[in-house]
Amino acid sequence: MLERLFIRDFILVDRLELDFSPGFGALTGETGAGKSILIDALGLLMGGRADASVVRNGCERAELSAEFACAGNDALGDWLREQDFEPEEGVVIARRVIDAGGRSRAYINGAPASVAQLKELGGLLIDIHGQHAHQALMRESAQRALFDQHAGLTAQVAAVGRLHREWQQREQALARALQDSESAARERERLQWLVEELEALAFEPLAWAELQQDHGRLAHATQLLEGSAEALALIEEGDAALDGQLAHVAALLGRLEAYDASLAECRSLIESAATQVDEAARALRTYAHRIDADPQALARADERIAAVLDCARKHRVEPDGLPQLLTDSRARLEQLQLESDPAALAAARDAALAACVQAAQALSAARAPAARQLSGAVTAAMSELAMQGGRFEVVLQPRELPSAAGLEDIEFQVAANPGQPLAPLAKVASGGELSRIGLAIQVIASARSGTPTLVFDEVDVGIGGRVAEVVGRQLARLGEARQVLCVTHLPQVAARAHWQWSIAKRSDNGQTRSAVTQLDAGARVDEIARMLGGEVITDTTRAHAREMLGP
């Protein structure tokens, strides 16, 4: 649920901080007052496209943030953990900053995020139905997306899409094999030679690091021998030898310790140092015995390094990139060898098609009852919305071969009046009918979705009277289970809200700003009366407003 929204220097808003309540909330105000600015802000926070025009005139940047309660939302919690955005005490905070140059930065729970991640997050938190949602329903692609989302089939559709792409790739591979056999043969020959060369080189990154270390040791064997011998001499030889000096110091402190016991710690440290120096001397002697000035081994290391570097230069990669080059070349060679066998390619294509068809058939089996359910629910809603006798049907038109969306095309068909035959929604609905049908579809589809917050931005345009009262009741019922926000001009809809805000435009020192006021019971009466009667509010309109708001 949306709990808090903060806006600063965004379009007409200088600074605004709003605390949201559960249930159905209405956002009302005069035309042009900026009611949709709040919806625009939420859209940007959920990954919408941003540009410099959203920054308030004269300001350096616009800042937006929204806080959502996420306790009990397992899908959201899983997504946040997968993306390394841990929930902060049961809330998730989305923030976006757009500067005057149009550049945008996004954050989730304080950590930098991409716009794509904001969009994914938004899909789990909020569902926005915009002013042009009815017109969008004229497109078959929008109808299919809304239906599959309503039916909970989005994951199955995505799986069919992946299998469809694999089938198409196999089809294209077969076509390429039949058309480009000569050029493919030349590439196979080149790759075979490359793979054999790299396999003969037998290059491994760890071996390369060891080879460079061994080469450095062999190339400086004389210096290493002389240096270790000198170090041993300083430790063990002559009157000034380090081990003798430490033994002398330890003995001296031991005698002094008889007079002051606090010197015991110093003596112990010196004795420990002497022990470590002895161990170092033994290690140096062992090391000196291992050092071998071997010109032949050095020559072999030189040859090996030169071979690796020559191979890397020839193929224009860094030495560390040779193993990946071998892996990629083997994979491409394997693919080309497969493509050189049209029968094997055809078999792989057929297997991919069969897998796609099987998944699409399962999707079709799930779509059929969902289509009947949505058809019945929207038909019933049409009757409530003064379209008695009208019918709505989700038509599943079979395809011979699957598309990326399955084995059927999906089309919304409607008969707006009794006795009329069903026809595509785009062809038979008038503006007012489309508004009512579209609103019925959106409300019913939203009731089945798992999104905790639903936003309707003036989707009730084109309706009024008793139909508006029905819409208000539907949104109120929806608000009993979910958080619903609705920008509306209709008093019948606003009166059904559990809470209401009024948005007004004000001028101050030559600048225009939008301001939001949370309405108490008395203020709601005045606002509903204004929506009923315009600028002049009479006792009659107030009485009508009180009646609409009820006890």
Side-chain angles (χ1 to χ4, degrees):
M1 185 188 84
L2 175 62
E3 292 190 328
R4 188 167 291 106
L5 179 65
F6 173 79
I7 302 174
R8 185 167 71 182
D9 296 331
F10 178 70
I11 309 180
L12 296 179
V13 176
D14 53 358
R15 182 183 176 90
L16 190 62
E17 188 167 357
L18 301 172
D19 292 321
F20 290 79
S21 301
F24 170 31
L27 312 180
T28 61
E30 295 283 2
T31 300
K35 296 183 296 300
S36 292
I37 289 177
L38 300 183
I39 313 303
D40 294 339
L42 287 172
L44 286 178
L45 282 166
M46 297 299 101
R49 187 173 180 178
D51 57 46
S53 65
V54 303
V55 180
R56 195 163 68 93
N57 187 36
C59 298
E60 295 181 359
R61 61 183 177 272
E63 295 186 30
L64 310 167
S65 69
E67 181 177 312
F68 295 84
C70 61
N73 191 332
D74 294 338
L76 176 59
D78 292 342
W79 185 88
L80 289 170
R81 282 184 286 274
E82 288 171 5
Q83 302 291 326
D84 294 327
F85 299 121
E86 285 295 329
E88 296 185 355
E89 297 182 356
V91 301
V92 58
I93 300 173
R95 180 170 174 260
R96 197 164 183 190
V97 179
I98 304 101
D99 66 25
R103 291 179 295 274
S104 168
R105 299 190 305 278
Y107 305 87
I108 296 174
N109 285 348
S114 66
V115 173
Q117 287 173 317
L118 275 187
K119 188 168 291 187
E120 287 185 35
L121 177 67
L124 297 168
L125 289 171
I126 194 165
D127 190 3
I128 299 176
H129 300 267
Q131 297 181 34
H132 306 293
H134 306 330
Q135 285 72 26
L137 287 176
M138 308 283 266
R139 301 193 305 270
E140 289 187 15
S141 60
Q143 294 174 8
R144 184 183 66 246
L146 185 145
F147 169 72
D148 285 329
Q149 183 179 15
H150 166 74
L153 299 174
T154 305
Q156 280 186 257
V157 174
V160 170
R162 287 192 295 272
L163 292 169
H164 182 270
R165 285 193 297 274
E166 184 176 346
W167 165 44
Q168 291 298 299
Q169 289 166 357
R170 300 285 187 180
E171 189 77 66
Q172 293 163 9
L174 176 59
R176 285 195 304 268
L178 296 174
Q179 294 175 4
D180 303 325
S181 58
E182 184 176 343
S183 61
R186 289 196 298 271
E187 188 177 2
R188 282 198 309 275
E189 183 178 352
R190 179 186 67 81
L191 286 169
Q192 185 65 51
W193 171 81
L194 174 59
V195 167
E196 290 174 357
E197 179 186 21
L198 292 173
E199 287 177 342
L201 185 65
F203 175 82
E204 294 291 340
L206 290 177
W208 172 246
E210 293 173 1
L211 175 63
Q212 290 178 306
Q213 186 175 3
D214 289 345
H215 180 271
R217 177 176 51 78
L218 290 166
H220 300 89
T222 301
Q223 295 95 315
L224 291 170
L225 277 170
E226 292 175 352
S228 57
E230 182 180 354
L232 275 170
L234 290 170
I235 292 172
E236 299 179 328
E237 296 179 7
D239 294 338
L242 184 57
D243 56 356
Q245 293 286 347
L246 289 172
H248 177 71
V249 173
L252 173 60
L253 291 175
R255 290 193 300 272
L256 295 175
E257 188 181 338
Y259 308 116
D260 187 352
S262 65
L263 288 171
E265 184 178 357
C266 294
R267 175 185 54 75
S268 177
L269 291 171
I270 292 296
E271 289 174 347
S272 296
T275 300
Q276 291 178 356
V277 167
D278 287 342
E279 291 176 358
R282 285 194 294 273
L284 277 172
R285 281 192 294 272
T286 302
Y287 175 78
H289 288 314
R290 289 204 315 267
I291 294 294
D292 186 11
D294 187 346
Q296 292 181 344
L298 178 60
R300 288 193 298 271
D302 282 334
E303 290 175 3
R304 176 64 173 163
I305 288 175
V308 170
L309 292 176
D310 287 345
C311 186
R313 279 194 295 269
K314 180 164 60 175
H315 299 297
R316 297 181 181 180
V317 297
E318 294 295 324
D320 288 347
L322 289 172
Q324 187 61 48
L325 177 62
L326 176 58
T327 299
D328 294 344
S329 300
R330 282 172 175 161
R332 177 59 179 156
L333 181 59
E334 182 180 349
Q335 180 184 358
L336 287 173
Q337 288 169 340
L338 176 63
E339 291 179 0
S340 67
D341 185 352
L345 279 175
R349 183 270 317 272
D350 293 343
L353 173 58
C356 183
V357 168
Q358 183 178 8
Q361 288 172 338
L363 175 61
S364 298
R367 277 173 168 166
R372 290 192 294 271
Q373 185 276 331
L374 183 59
S375 299
V378 175
T379 297
M382 287 170 61
S383 179
E384 290 186 30
L385 295 171
M387 298 180 72
Q388 292 85 353
R391 287 186 299 140
F392 174 85
E393 189 168 329
V394 180
V395 177
L396 306 179
Q397 299 173 333
R399 297 173 57 95
E400 184 176 350
L401 290 173
S403 71
L407 271 169
E408 54 274 318
D409 295 322
I410 297 174
E411 185 176 64
F412 291 174
Q413 294 189 0
V414 64
N417 299 295
Q420 288 183 339
L422 289 166
L425 177 65
K427 294 182 178 179
V428 301
S430 67
E433 290 169 341
L434 179 61
S435 295
R436 282 178 276 170
I437 297 168
L439 185 57
I441 293 170
Q442 290 174 66
V443 170
I444 291 166
S446 296
R448 289 281 298 272
S449 75
T451 311
T453 298
L454 307 173
V455 177
F456 296 92
D457 183 14
E458 298 192 25
V459 294
D460 50 13
V461 171
I463 63 174
R466 188 181 68 81
V467 173
E469 292 180 10
V470 172
V471 170
R473 285 198 300 270
Q474 290 178 335
L475 292 175
R477 282 199 302 268
L478 195 56
E480 291 173 1
R482 315 276 281 289
Q483 184 185 47
V484 178
L485 310 178
C486 181
V487 174
T488 182
H489 287 284
L490 299 178
Q492 298 93 330
V493 172
R496 292 290 179 175
H498 302 130
W499 49 273
Q500 184 175 351
W501 288 345
S502 173
I503 303 174
K505 188 185 294 184
R506 298 171 182 170
S507 295
D508 182 22
N509 297 326
Q511 290 191 336
T512 301
R513 295 180 173 85
S514 288
V516 179
T517 303
Q518 187 167 355
L519 304 181
D520 58 19
R524 284 195 74 183
V525 170
D526 289 342
E527 177 64 5
I528 297 295
R530 181 199 63 77
M531 297 172 75
L532 285 166
E535 292 184 7
V536 179
I537 301 175
T538 66
D539 291 340
T540 301
T541 54
R542 281 197 177 90
H544 189 186
R546 289 190 189 94
E547 182 181 358
M548 292 178 67
L549 287 165

